[in-house]
Coordinates of all heavy atoms in Angstrom, one line a residue:
A210 N -39.7 4.9 40.4 CA -39.4 5.7 39.1 C -39.9 7.1 39.3 O -40.8 7.4 40.1 CB -40.1 5.0 37.9
P211 N -39.4 8.0 38.5 CA -39.8 9.4 38.6 C -41.3 9.6 38.4 O -41.9 9.0 37.5 CB -39.0 10.1 37.5 CG -37.8 9.3 37.4 CD -38.2 7.9 37.6
G212 N -42.0 10.3 39.4 CA -43.4 10.5 39.3 C -44.2 9.4 39.7 O -45.5 9.5 39.7
K213 N -43.6 8.3 40.2 CA -44.4 7.1 40.6 C -44.2 6.9 42.1 O -43.2 7.3 42.7 CB -44.0 5.9 39.9 CG -44.4 5.8 38.4 CD -44.2 4.5 37.8 CE -44.8 4.4 36.4 NZ -44.6 3.0 35.8
E214 N -45.1 6.1 42.7 CA -45.0 5.8 44.1 C -44.0 4.7 44.3 O -43.8 3.8 43.5 CB -46.4 5.3 44.6 CG -46.5 5.0 46.1 CD -47.9 4.5 46.5 OE1 -48.8 5.0 45.8 OE2 -48.0 3.8 47.4
R215 N -43.3 4.8 45.4 CA -42.3 3.7 45.8 C -43.1 2.4 46.1 O -44.1 2.4 46.8 CB -41.5 4.2 47.0 CG -40.3 3.2 47.3 CD -39.5 3.8 48.5 NE -38.8 5.0 48.1 CZ -37.9 5.7 48.8 NH1 -37.6 5.2 50.0 NH2 -37.4 6.8 48.4
E216 N -42.6 1.3 45.5 CA -43.3 0.1 45.7 C -42.3 -1.0 46.2 O -41.1 -1.0 45.9 CB -43.9 -0.4 44.3 CG -42.8 -0.6 43.2 CD -43.5 -1.2 42.0 OE1 -44.7 -1.4 41.9 OE2 -42.7 -1.3 41.0
L217 N -42.9 -2.0 46.9 CA -42.2 -3.1 47.4 C -41.8 -4.0 46.2 O -42.6 -4.4 45.4 CB -43.0 -3.9 48.4 CG -42.4 -5.2 48.9 CD1 -41.2 -5.0 49.8 CD2 -43.5 -6.0 49.6
V218 N -40.5 -4.4 46.2 CA -40.1 -5.5 45.3 C -40.0 -6.8 46.0 O -40.5 -7.8 45.5 CB -38.7 -5.1 44.7 CG1 -38.2 -6.1 43.7 CG2 -38.8 -3.7 44.0
A219 N -39.3 -6.8 47.1 CA -39.1 -8.1 47.9 C -38.7 -7.7 49.3 O -38.0 -6.7 49.5 CB -38.1 -9.0 47.2
R220 N -39.0 -8.6 50.2 CA -38.6 -8.4 51.6 C -38.4 -9.7 52.3 O -39.1 -10.7 51.9 CB -39.6 -7.5 52.4 CG -41.0 -8.1 52.5 CD -41.9 -7.1 53.2 NE -43.3 -7.5 53.2 CZ -44.3 -6.8 53.4 NH1 -44.2 -5.5 53.7 NH2 -45.6 -7.3 53.3
T221 N -37.6 -9.8 53.3 CA -37.3 -11.0 54.0 C -37.2 -10.8 55.5 O -36.6 -9.8 55.9 CB -36.1 -11.7 53.4 OG1 -35.9 -13.0 54.1 CG2 -34.8 -10.9 53.6
T222 N -37.6 -11.7 56.3 CA -37.4 -11.7 57.7 C -36.1 -12.4 58.1 O -35.5 -13.0 57.3 CB -38.6 -12.3 58.5 OG1 -38.7 -13.7 58.0 CG2 -39.9 -11.6 58.1
S223 N -35.8 -12.2 59.4 CA -34.5 -12.8 59.8 C -34.5 -14.3 59.8 O -33.4 -14.9 59.7 CB -34.2 -12.3 61.2 OG -35.2 -12.7 62.2
D224 N -35.7 -15.0 59.8 CA -35.8 -16.4 59.8 C -35.9 -17.0 58.4 O -36.0 -18.2 58.2 CB -36.9 -16.9 60.6 CG -38.3 -16.5 60.2 OD1 -38.3 -15.7 59.2 OD2 -39.3 -16.8 60.8
G225 N -35.8 -16.1 57.4 CA -35.8 -16.5 56.0 C -37.1 -16.5 55.2 O -37.1 -16.8 54.0
N226 N -38.2 -16.1 55.8 CA -39.4 -16.0 55.0 C -39.3 -14.8 54.1 O -38.8 -13.7 54.5 CB -40.6 -15.8 56.0 CG -41.0 -17.0 56.7 OD1 -40.9 -18.1 56.2 ND2 -41.4 -16.9 58.0
A227 N -39.9 -14.9 52.9 CA -39.7 -13.9 51.9 C -41.1 -13.6 51.2 O -41.9 -14.5 51.0 CB -38.7 -14.2 50.9
D228 N -41.3 -12.3 50.8 CA -42.4 -11.9 50.0 C -41.9 -11.2 48.8 O -40.9 -10.4 48.9 CB -43.3 -11.0 50.8 CG -44.0 -11.8 52.0 OD1 -44.6 -12.8 51.7 OD2 -43.9 -11.3 53.1
Y229 N -42.6 -11.3 47.7 CA -42.3 -10.7 46.4 C -43.5 -10.0 45.8 O -44.6 -10.5 46.0 CB -41.7 -11.7 45.4 CG -40.5 -12.4 45.8 CD1 -40.5 -13.6 46.6 CD2 -39.2 -11.9 45.5 CE1 -39.4 -14.3 46.9 CE2 -38.0 -12.6 45.9 CZ -38.1 -13.7 46.6 OH -37.0 -14.4 47.0
A230 N -43.2 -8.9 45.1 CA -44.2 -8.4 44.2 C -44.6 -9.4 43.2 O -43.7 -10.1 42.7 CB -43.7 -7.1 43.6
D231 N -45.9 -9.4 42.8 CA -46.3 -10.4 41.8 C -45.5 -10.3 40.5 O -45.2 -11.3 39.8 CB -47.8 -10.2 41.5 CG -48.7 -10.7 42.7 OD1 -48.2 -11.5 43.5 OD2 -49.8 -10.3 42.7
S232 N -45.1 -9.1 40.1 CA -44.5 -8.9 38.8 C -43.1 -9.5 38.8 O -42.5 -9.6 37.7 CB -44.4 -7.4 38.5 OG -43.7 -6.7 39.5
V233 N -42.5 -9.8 39.9 CA -41.1 -10.3 39.9 C -41.0 -11.7 40.4 O -39.9 -12.3 40.3 CB -40.2 -9.4 40.8 CG1 -40.3 -7.9 40.4 CG2 -40.4 -9.6 42.3
K234 N -42.0 -12.3 40.8 CA -42.0 -13.7 41.2 C -41.5 -14.6 40.1 O -41.9 -14.6 39.0 CB -43.4 -14.2 41.7 CG -43.8 -13.6 43.0 CD -45.2 -14.1 43.4 CE -45.6 -13.5 44.7 NZ -47.0 -13.9 45.1
G235 N -40.5 -15.5 40.5 CA -39.9 -16.4 39.5 C -38.7 -15.9 38.8 O -38.0 -16.6 38.2
R236 N -38.5 -14.6 38.9 CA -37.3 -13.9 38.3 C -36.3 -13.3 39.3 O -35.1 -13.3 39.1 CB -37.8 -12.8 37.3 CG -38.6 -13.4 36.1 CD -38.8 -12.3 35.1 NE -39.6 -11.2 35.7 CZ -39.2 -9.9 35.9 NH1 -38.0 -9.6 35.6 NH2 -40.1 -9.0 36.4
F237 N -36.9 -12.8 40.4 CA -36.0 -12.2 41.4 C -35.9 -13.1 42.7 O -36.9 -13.8 43.0 CB -36.6 -10.8 41.9 CG -36.5 -9.7 40.9 CD1 -36.2 -10.0 39.5 CD2 -36.8 -8.4 41.2 CE1 -36.2 -9.0 38.6 CE2 -36.7 -7.4 40.3 CZ -36.4 -7.7 39.0
T238 N -34.8 -13.0 43.3 CA -34.6 -13.8 44.5 C -33.9 -12.9 45.6 O -32.8 -12.3 45.3 CB -33.7 -15.0 44.3 OG1 -34.3 -15.9 43.3 CG2 -33.5 -15.8 45.6
I239 N -34.5 -12.8 46.8 CA -33.9 -12.1 47.9 C -33.2 -13.0 48.8 O -33.7 -14.1 49.1 CB -35.0 -11.2 48.6 CG1 -34.3 -10.2 49.6 CG2 -36.0 -12.0 49.3 CD1 -35.2 -9.2 50.1
S240 N -32.1 -12.6 49.4 CA -31.4 -13.4 50.3 C -30.6 -12.5 51.3 O -30.5 -11.3 51.0 CB -30.4 -14.4 49.6 OG -29.4 -13.7 48.9
R241 N -30.2 -13.1 52.4 CA -29.4 -12.3 53.3 C -28.4 -13.1 54.1 O -28.5 -14.3 54.2 CB -30.4 -11.6 54.3 CG -31.1 -12.6 55.2 CD -32.3 -12.0 56.0 NE -31.9 -11.1 57.0 CZ -32.7 -10.3 57.7 NH1 -34.0 -10.3 57.5 NH2 -32.2 -9.5 58.7
D242 N -27.4 -12.3 54.5 CA -26.3 -12.9 55.4 C -26.3 -12.1 56.7 O -25.9 -11.0 56.8 CB -25.0 -12.7 54.7 CG -23.8 -13.4 55.4 OD1 -24.0 -13.7 56.6 OD2 -22.8 -13.7 54.8
N243 N -26.9 -12.7 57.7 CA -27.1 -12.1 59.0 C -25.8 -11.8 59.7 O -25.7 -10.8 60.5 CB -28.0 -12.9 59.9 CG -29.4 -12.9 59.4 OD1 -29.9 -12.0 58.8 ND2 -30.1 -14.1 59.7
T244 N -24.7 -12.5 59.4 CA -23.4 -12.3 60.0 C -22.8 -11.1 59.5 O -21.9 -10.5 60.1 CB -22.5 -13.5 59.9 OG1 -22.2 -13.7 58.5 CG2 -23.2 -14.8 60.4
K245 N -23.2 -10.6 58.3 CA -22.6 -9.5 57.6 C -23.6 -8.3 57.5 O -23.3 -7.3 56.9 CB -22.1 -9.8 56.2 CG -21.0 -10.8 56.2 CD -20.6 -11.2 54.8 CE -19.4 -12.2 54.8 NZ -19.0 -12.5 53.4
N246 N -24.8 -8.5 58.1 CA -25.8 -7.4 58.0 C -26.1 -7.0 56.6 O -26.2 -5.8 56.3 CB -25.5 -6.2 58.9 CG -25.5 -6.6 60.4 OD1 -26.3 -7.4 60.8 ND2 -24.7 -5.9 61.2
T247 N -26.2 -8.0 55.7 CA -26.3 -7.7 54.3 C -27.4 -8.4 53.7 O -27.7 -9.6 54.0 CB -25.0 -8.2 53.6 OG1 -23.8 -7.4 54.1 CG2 -25.0 -7.9 52.1
V248 N -28.1 -7.7 52.8 CA -29.2 -8.3 52.0 C -28.9 -8.2 50.5 O -28.3 -7.2 50.1 CB -30.6 -7.7 52.4 CG1 -30.6 -6.2 52.0 CG2 -31.7 -8.4 51.7

């Protein structure tokens, strides 16, 4: 957001492990399609 530091929301490794910011756990879901290079 303007004037704020960039913060992690979610990230995932190629084998499917994922981490989330505490504020979004249970509401946000990260996923990826490795064949399409898409997250």
